[in-house]
């Protein structure tokens, strides 16, 4: 499995479809006694590690679960504030799971429109005539591939850097979009895609692409 | 294969150095504005990439490419950013950008007491060494720029 997620962005920069196909687990669970030797802080409605990186717990990781029950942002499952709960010596020893904070749907919307503008700036700053926007963005943990259609819809795929055959996958997704979203009489243009057939066929295409470009970490 | 241009930014977004070789299109805005736009784009890409990444990152953002050019990015722990635009045929050039930082910028600017840090590099030696280093690269085209 080496395709992480798919985004579809309309011509105004709005996110109209998002699918996470595989999220690698980068989590660490540990039992702590009082006092907690990590510094936690509140950021964007989440409790993040600010200092005290160790044993797979990194600065920037969020508190995901306490004693095996998932937390809900900055609140525990029964509605108490996480920081308050962890500040009380009576609750120790406590087992806390840390991991990379997962993106909320709001953040996904924001990142999609952010990419929309980066795409435009990328073509403006081009040293060559007639350049498109960002087609491929490379980091050490993933590669982002983007395909913009003539009508301005952007298909974005996040995949493992070693995954091959993403270009044909992007064309395939465009085909699926034309067949199962555009030809659906109940779908209105530029609006979020809620079509069952689109979902099914997209998942199928992702599976096929993952098997075809077989350099993923899981294979 | 060819090298289009090179930007050097410090951690505050000041453009320390800019040079171009085979650049066929200007951005159509004053240079100062272009530097700000470039730095702003890189700043946003960095934050975008760190949020998007499914795993913890080490080096972070490395490069992006469009249909016509490829932008290579290298950042030091002190926040100096080296950005080189080349054509699409050029592979990873982290070592080249690291060399520009460590063997040229550090040696000729940081260690030069007459070069104040945090503003545009005035050193003629740095400019000429950088120019000859880039011209000597294997992917620098021989065509006159």
């Amino acid at each position: 499995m080496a395709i992480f997620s798919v985004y579809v962005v309309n011509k105004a920069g709005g996110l109209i479809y998002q699918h996470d196909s595989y999220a690698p687990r980068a989590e660490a669970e540990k039992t702590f006694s009082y006092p907690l030797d990590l510094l936690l802080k509140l950021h964007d409605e989440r409790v993040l590690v600010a200092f005290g990186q160790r044993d797979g717990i990194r600065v920037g990781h969020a508190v995901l679960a306490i004693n095996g029950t998932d937390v809900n942002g900055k609140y525990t499952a029964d509605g108490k504030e996480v920081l308050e709960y962890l500040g009380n010596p009576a609750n120790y020893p406590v087992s806390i799971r840390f991991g990379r904070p997962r993106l909320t749907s709001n953040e996904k919307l924001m990142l999609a429109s952010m990419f929309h503008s980066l795409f435009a700036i990328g073509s403006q700053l081009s040293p060559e005539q007639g350049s498109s926007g960002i087609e491929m963005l490379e980091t050490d943990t993933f590669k982002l591939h983007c395909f913009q259609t003539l009508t301005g819809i952007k298909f974005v795929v996040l995949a493992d850097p070693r995954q091959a055959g993403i270009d044909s996958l992007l064309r395939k997704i465009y085909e699926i979009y034309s067949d199962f979203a555009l030809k659906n009489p109940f779908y209105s243009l530029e609006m979020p895609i809620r079509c069952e057939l689109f979902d099914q066929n997209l998942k199928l295409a992702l599976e096929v692409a993952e098997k075809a470009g077989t350099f993923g970490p899981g294979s | 294969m060819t090298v289009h241009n090179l930007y050097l930014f410090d951690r505050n977004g000041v453009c320390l150095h800019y040079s171009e070789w085979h650049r066929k299109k200007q951005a159509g805005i004053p240079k100062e504005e272009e530097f700000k736009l470039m730095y702003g784009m890189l700043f946003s890409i960095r934050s975008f990439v760190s949020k998007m990444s499914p795993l913890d990152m080490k080096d972070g953002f490395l490069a992006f490419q469009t249909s016509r050019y490829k932008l290579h990015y290298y950042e030091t722990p002190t926040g100096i950013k080296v950005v080189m635009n080349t054509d699409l045929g050029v592979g990873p050039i982290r070592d080249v950008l690291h060399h520009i930082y460590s063997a040229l910028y550090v040696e000729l600017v940081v260690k030069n007491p007459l070069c104040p840090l945090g503003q545009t590099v005035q050193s003629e030696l740095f400019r000429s060494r950088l120019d000859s280093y880039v011209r000597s690269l294997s992917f620098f085209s021989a065509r006159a720029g």
Side-chain angles (χ1 to χ4, degrees):
Chain A
M1 294 283 265
I3 293 174
F4 300 130
S5 47
V6 178
Y7 291 73
V8 182
V9 182
N10 70 14
K11 60 173 166 249
L15 183 64
I16 55 171
Y17 185 84
Q18 201 276 337
H19 171 75
D20 281 322
S21 94
Y22 168 66
R25 292 265 162 186
E27 296 179 353
E29 183 144 16
K30 216 175 132 49
T31 308
F32 295 89
S33 55
Y34 190 80
L36 199 62
D37 50 359
L38 294 163
L39 184 67
L40 303 176
K41 66 165 186 206
L42 209 59
H43 181 75
D44 278 350
E45 299 292 300
R46 279 201 199 99
V47 182
L48 300 185
V49 179
F51 179 76
Q53 186 163 300
R54 61 172 205 164
D55 303 335
I57 301 168
R58 308 260 313 248
V59 167
H61 279 187
V63 174
L64 296 179
I66 295 177
N67 290 331
T69 15
D70 284 353
V71 300
N72 181 13
K74 60 174 179 171
Y75 299 103
T76 58
D78 37 342
K80 276 179 267 175
E81 284 208 25
V82 170
L83 284 179
E84 212 168 280
Y85 182 86
L86 293 177
N88 183 356
N91 295 324
Y92 285 78
V94 65
S95 140
I96 313 175
R97 190 164 80 230
F98 292 94
R100 278 189 69 83
R102 256 167 251 145
L103 292 174
T104 61
S105 35
N106 259 341
E107 281 176 312
K108 283 172 184 164
L109 280 169
M110 194 197 77
L111 288 171
S113 40
M114 196 166 162
F115 182 73
H116 182 77
S117 11
L118 290 174
F119 187 92
I121 300 175
S123 89
Q124 199 194 343
L125 285 173
S126 166
E128 282 257 20
Q129 217 51 261
S131 170
S132 71
I134 298 175
E135 285 184 341
M136 200 256 288
L137 190 146
E138 204 177 333
T139 75
D140 57 342
T141 50
F142 70 92
K143 261 188 191 173
L144 179 150
H145 302 257
C146 173
F147 168 59
Q148 189 183 35
T149 69
L150 289 174
T151 45
I153 308 261
K154 280 194 261 301
F155 298 97
V156 177
V157 169
L158 257 72
D160 187 274
R162 288 161 297 174
Q163 176 79 32
I166 301 286
D167 277 342
S168 54
L169 171 68
L170 284 167
R171 263 79 185 165
K172 180 75 189 164
I173 297 176
Y174 184 26
E175 204 181 306
I176 294 170
Y177 167 79
S178 326
D179 281 349
F180 300 104
L182 290 187
K183 290 182 190 170
N184 182 337
F186 299 105
Y187 174 67
S188 40
L189 272 178
E190 310 284 314
M191 295 305 275
I193 303 172
R194 295 185 208 286
C195 308
E196 207 174 305
L197 279 175
F198 178 79
D199 271 346
Q200 284 169 8
N201 284 279
L202 182 79
K203 276 174 201 154
L204 210 68
L206 290 180
E207 273 168 34
V208 171
E210 267 170 2
K211 280 188 192 118
T214 50
F215 308 104
S219 54
Chain B
M1 295 214 257
T2 139
V3 175
H4 298 305
N5 52 3
L6 182 124
Y7 302 80
L8 197 68
F9 292 103
D10 79 350
R11 56 187 295 178
N12 301 317
V14 178
C15 184
L16 299 174
H17 179 78
Y18 172 76
S19 39
E20 61 185 46
W21 290 273
H22 301 121
R23 181 167 181 170
K24 295 177 194 83
K25 168 185 170 271
Q26 298 297 330
I29 47 178
K31 272 280 169 293
E32 276 305 309
E33 298 295 313
E34 183 191 321
F35 299 154
K36 282 185 204 163
L37 187 60
M38 175 58 92
Y39 185 82
M41 177 180 73
L42 296 170
F43 190 87
S44 313
I45 287 184
R46 257 167 48 93
S47 108
F48 173 79
V49 155
S50 70
K51 286 204 185 103
M52 274 292 214
S53 173
L55 294 161
D56 290 312
M57 292 195 295
K58 282 196 284 291
D59 302 328
F61 169 53
L62 300 174
F64 77 66
Q65 65 180 57
T66 73
S67 59
R68 302 304 301 260
Y69 76 105
K70 185 167 180 183
L71 178 145
H72 304 263
Y73 178 81
Y74 173 74
E75 185 175 345
T76 70
T78 48
I80 304 281
K81 296 162 182 72
V82 189
V83 181
M84 188 186 262
N85 288 330
T86 68
D87 72 342
L88 297 176
V90 179
I93 52 163
R94 247 182 102 71
D95 48 338
V96 170
L97 300 184
H98 178 75
H99 181 90
I100 291 175
Y101 168 69
S102 65
L104 298 171
Y105 180 72
V106 170
E107 291 299 324
L108 304 175
V109 178
V110 177
K111 292 188 182 173
N112 180 348
L114 295 177
C115 280
L117 295 177
Q119 42 184 280
T120 311
V121 176
Q122 305 287 352
S123 161
E124 197 47 50
L125 183 64
F126 173 74
R127 282 163 190 278
S128 60
R129 286 276 188 86
L130 179 66
D131 186 65
S132 54
Y133 175 67
V134 173
R135 281 177 195 278
S136 73
L137 292 170
S138 59
F139 49 85
F140 188 88
S141 116
R143 282 180 289 140

